Amino acid sequence: QVQLVESGGGLVQAGGSLRLSCAASGRTFSGNYMGWFRQNPGKERDFVASISWRGVNRDYADSVKGRFTISRNNAMNTVYLEMNSLKPEDTAVYWCAYGVRGPVGTSWDYWGQGTQVTVSS
């Protein structure tokens, strides 16, 4: 099992910035992918960003491109999401995910507990 713990959420004004962190522990393994998703009540969980083990492959949702940056520190088993120019529509619970990429996509096998991000207008 892999445990994920997110931190860094909170309340920020529109145009502001936040940095989310997610620390992995337990039976972690090299070659993993890590990512961020977000969800609002009554809506589906949406992909935000993902990063490969060495950080070479980084993918972003169109809605956050140019504003959010995903990065990782493998020595600390931690992934980060730097969020700039935040908008009210970025308000959501943000979830950290951990998985492996296969031939047909990424299998997100482990999830954190979620952290609330609220952007006021």
Side-chain angles (χ1 to χ4, degrees):
Q1 291 286 339
V2 175
Q3 293 78 44
L4 303 173
V5 178
E6 300 108 331
S7 60
L11 173 64
V12 65
Q13 288 189 333
S17 299
L18 279 176
R19 188 193 197 204
L20 304 182
S21 300
C22 173
S25 61
R27 299 176 67 87
T28 60
F29 49 88
S30 60
N32 64 74
Y33 266 68
M34 296 189 76
W36 292 94
F37 292 72
R38 63 188 182 186
Q39 185 175 28
N40 276 310
K43 296 188 177 182
E44 293 186 356
R45 189 174 299 182
D46 294 327
F47 169 80
V48 175
S50 67
I51 186 168
S52 60
W53 170 251
R54 298 191 185 280
V56 174
N57 297 318
R58 307 186 193 202
D59 295 316
Y60 297 93
D62 289 342
S63 59
V64 306
K65 282 180 181 177
R67 300 188 299 122
F68 291 11
T69 301
I70 189 169
S71 61
R72 65 188 296 165
N73 181 330
N74 289 336
M76 299 182 65
N77 283 327
T78 300
V79 65
Y80 306 96
L81 186 68
E82 186 76 35
M83 304 185 294
N84 298 315
S85 302
L86 281 162
K87 305 175 182 179
E89 50 264 44
D90 293 319
T91 295
V93 174
Y94 282 71
W95 302 81
C96 175
Y98 186 102
V100 294
R101 176 156 288 186
V104 294
T106 305
S107 174
W108 299 107
D109 300 319
Y110 302 98
W111 296 85
Q113 81 286 357
T115 186
Q116 177 69 47
V117 171
T118 303
V119 184
S120 63
S121 57

